[in-house]
Amino acid sequence: MTEKFGIPYINVSFLGLEDIKASLTNIAEFTKDDEIIRKTKELIAAEEKQIEDILNYHKKRLEGKKVAIYVGGGFKAISLIKQFRELGMETVMVGTQTGKEEDYDIIKEITREGTVILDDTNPAELEKFILEKKADILVGGVKERPLAYKLGIAFCDHNHERKHALAGFEGAVNFAKEVDLTINSPVWKLI
Amino acid sequence: MPLGGVLALKGIENSMVILHGSQGCSTYIRRHMATHFNEPIDIASSSLTEDGTIYGGSKNLKLGLKNIIKLYNPGIIGVLTTCLAETIGEDIGGIITEFQEENLESRNIKIIPISTPAYSGTQSEGYYKTLRRLVEALSNGEVKNNKINIIAANINPGDIRQLKYILNCFDVGYTILPDVSDTLDSGYAKTYNKIPEGGTNLHDITLMGGASATIEMDCSAEIGSTAGDYLFETFGVPLFKCAVPIGIKATDVFINLISQISKKEIPKVLAKERGSLP
């Protein structure tokens, strides 16, 4: 549409507080309307205040846990790394099925030295690195759920089939709650 | 076809399967079966891309087989084709022969080619065809034995467990092909096995040619095309067909067949269970 009709565009994402805030700010600034920019700032502050306590509660229970990510696209992987970082969690393994070179450059930049980065991997490699890096949770598609459970770790389904929101401020809370529930489930003490 | 073939192979002990085709062919079967059974489902792929499709995929398939042997150490590998491999006319039998000539360590592994293009048949046909290819490749009539062959329909792990319970009540020897009762319904263990425990034992499949009879739960496949037909035509193993023992009538037929073949009375416990149906 930009090429053909000259309609300008910007990239936005509404997953994870960092991206939500940046996206809202970018959209507001794009309008160059001071009133909109002021209202957006207020909205962000109000929304953030509303979820602050609950997010901090989950954060306390999740801080320091290790994450393994295996998803379809590079953008989702990048977004998830940031969201986990907001919860004080460290990504120790990350892979995608169709990520592009540019995606991997960003992934490399935002993860710590020593993080295992995989492209188009297989169950044998997932198993190896989940165990080797002592991940506490795997985030993946539904195929990977049974593997996580067989390895005795938590799992978060970040797939299209879920019905609740993971986007927006409300989604950020849902995400934290979901990750908390599975990681801190009493079942892991019983296996 | 490939989904049925995979289902059959997942009930064979220490087995692995590779689909000769593009990655999606195995991904979507894995995805479907993983959610259906709640089990990790590993299916290898030769990952054919444009190059392999145009120049032939033997290099990919051989590399895939090598990786499977290294990572899974299976006793048997089923090589299933897909629409793509069949359309370009891949000779998987020839590729496997070449592979086993080139790789000494692969010669004690059974590698079985099975043609399963999805455009030529259904899930059910892929399932029964794979079972037939398994007995063709493995069974012989050398050792006569008193076992009963049970060629199971594509039924769930709980149903297979129930069949085994009935057969155990009779205290008869049997080989159930395939046996997914443990492989597709396993518990948590301290160490994770890439290939789940359980499944039909390979040696037991070789004995199927010398068994006392075959009971085959299939009434849909083309007459003469099934594993039971092959065992009858090649080794003279008497073949009895029955429906899946679901419902009183079909269960009676199955139980009476076992009684008739084994010349054993129907166990009291089964008669009692039948009488106490709510």
Side-chain angles (χ1 to χ4, degrees), chain A residues 92-130:
Chain A
V92 290
M93 187 212 93
V94 53
T96 81
Q97 279 172 315
T98 60
K100 297 179 192 72
E101 219 177 315
E102 308 91 82
D103 298 326
Y104 285 109
D105 288 342
I106 301 172
I107 288 173
K108 224 172 149 182
E109 214 172 281
I110 61 174
T111 50
R112 271 196 210 169
E113 184 79 34
T115 303
V116 176
I117 300 174
L118 302 162
D119 179 47
D120 199 9
T121 185
N122 55 54
E125 277 185 350
L126 286 179
E127 178 199 345
K128 180 179 188 296
F129 292 116
I130 286 170

Side-chain angles (χ1 to χ4, degrees), chain B residues 18-203:
Chain B
I18 179 166
L19 294 192
H20 190 33
S22 61
Q23 269 188 28
C25 299
S26 80
T27 304
Y28 284 96
I29 295 176
R30 289 181 57 212
R31 192 242 169 275
H32 180 68
M33 284 181 69
T35 42
H36 185 86
F37 292 103
N38 256 324
E39 291 290 331
I41 304 288
D42 290 8
I43 302 169
S45 168
S46 59
S47 301
L48 284 183
T49 54
E50 290 89 338
D51 271 4
T53 309
I54 294 166
Y55 301 110
S58 94
K59 211 175 102 195
N60 281 36
L61 182 55
K62 286 177 183 174
L63 186 61
L65 286 169
K66 250 188 174 161
N67 284 336
I68 292 178
I69 293 169
K70 200 169 89 190
L71 289 168
Y72 291 84
N73 191 25
I76 178 170
I77 303 171
V79 181
L80 305 184
T81 58
T82 60
C83 304
L84 181 59
E86 293 288 346
T87 305
I88 60 175
E90 287 285 87
D91 172 17
I92 48 167
I95 297 171
I96 293 168
T97 307
E98 261 178 41
F99 177 79
Q100 292 196 307
E101 277 164 11
E102 291 159 8
N103 298 278
L104 287 176
E105 76 284 359
S106 73
R107 288 187 196 171
N108 50 7
I109 300 169
K110 305 282 181 199
I111 307 180
I112 299 170
I114 307 158
S115 166
T116 51
Y119 51 64
S120 81
T122 62
Q123 176 183 330
S124 170
E125 284 163 302
Y127 179 82
Y128 285 108
K129 182 172 187 181
T130 300
L131 295 181
R132 164 134 185 166
R133 294 286 298 117
L134 286 169
V135 294
E136 278 177 1
L138 302 171
S139 300
N140 61 55
E142 282 164 21
V143 185
K144 292 282 166 224
N145 58 81
N146 282 326
K147 287 184 167 191
I148 304 173
N149 301 325
I150 309 287
I151 313 241
N154 173 14
I155 48 181
N156 76 33
D159 286 333
I160 297 279
R161 223 173 278 135
Q162 187 62 28
L163 296 183
K164 286 161 87 173
Y165 164 73
I166 292 172
L167 288 153
N168 289 338
C169 287
F170 271 96
D171 196 22
V172 291
Y174 61 90
T175 301
I176 193 156
L177 177 79
D179 178 359
V180 297
S181 60
D182 290 321
T183 55
L184 293 180
D185 189 18
S186 69
Y188 171 80
K190 283 280 170 215
T191 46
Y192 172 66
N193 287 322
K194 282 189 187 62
I195 299 179
E197 278 176 31
T200 312
N201 178 275
L202 287 188
H203 178 65

Side-chain angles (χ1 to χ4, degrees), chain A:
Chain A
M1 282 192 274
T2 304
E3 282 166 20
K4 201 159 180 189
F5 307 109
I7 301 172
Y9 84 94
I10 50 171
N11 276 324
V12 293
S13 161
F14 291 102
L15 291 163
L17 279 187
E18 195 183 314
D19 282 358
I20 299 168
K21 288 192 283 183
S23 295
L24 287 174
T25 309
N26 287 345
I27 295 169
E29 279 171 1
F30 188 81
T31 64
K32 295 192 177 71
D33 181 327
D34 287 342
E35 177 67 5
I36 290 177
I37 294 171
R38 185 185 57 78
K39 276 188 175 167
T40 305
K41 271 186 189 155
E42 279 173 22
L43 173 82
I44 291 172
E47 290 279 355
E48 238 186 325
K49 187 147 183 48
Q50 209 175 351
I51 62 170
E52 200 181 347
D53 288 350
I54 181 84
L55 268 189
N56 281 338
Y57 166 78
H58 292 301
K59 209 170 151 178
K60 236 181 257 157
R61 292 162 55 89
L62 292 170
E63 226 143 29
K65 301 282 186 196
K66 293 175 181 160
V67 187
I69 296 170
Y70 186 55
V71 290
F75 189 74
K76 194 179 203 166
I78 294 164
S79 165
L80 279 167
I81 295 168
K82 289 192 209 163
Q83 290 176 70
F84 281 116
R85 207 170 46 192
E86 286 167 9
L87 294 170
M89 298 167 71
E90 187 199 344
T91 300
V92 290
M93 187 212 93
V94 53
T96 81
Q97 279 172 315
T98 60
K100 297 179 192 72
E101 219 177 315
E102 308 91 82
D103 298 326
Y104 285 109
D105 288 342
I106 301 172
I107 288 173
K108 224 172 149 182
E109 214 172 281
I110 61 174
T111 50
R112 271 196 210 169
E113 184 79 34
T115 303
V116 176
I117 300 174
L118 302 162
D119 179 47
D120 199 9
T121 185
N122 55 54
E125 277 185 350
L126 286 179
E127 178 199 345
K128 180 179 188 296
F129 292 116
I130 286 170
L131 294 176
E132 203 174 292
K133 301 304 264 180
K134 296 192 170 61
D136 297 296
I137 182 171
L138 172 68
V139 185
V142 282
K143 289 197 301 307
E144 283 78 38
R145 179 195 294 273
L147 176 66
Y149 292 165
K150 291 279 192 238
L151 296 176
I153 68 164
F155 179 80
C156 171
D157 181 2
H158 209 283
N159 216 329
H160 315 285
E161 287 133 344
R162 68 191 146 70
K163 304 280 195 293
H164 59 277
L166 292 178
F169 293 96
E170 187 190 316
V173 175
N174 286 341
F175 180 69
K177 186 177 166 191
E178 191 171 322
V179 173
D180 186 353
L181 277 177
T182 176
I183 282 198
N184 293 311
S185 165
V187 75
W188 306 124
K189 292 191 186 112
L190 300 172
I191 58 173

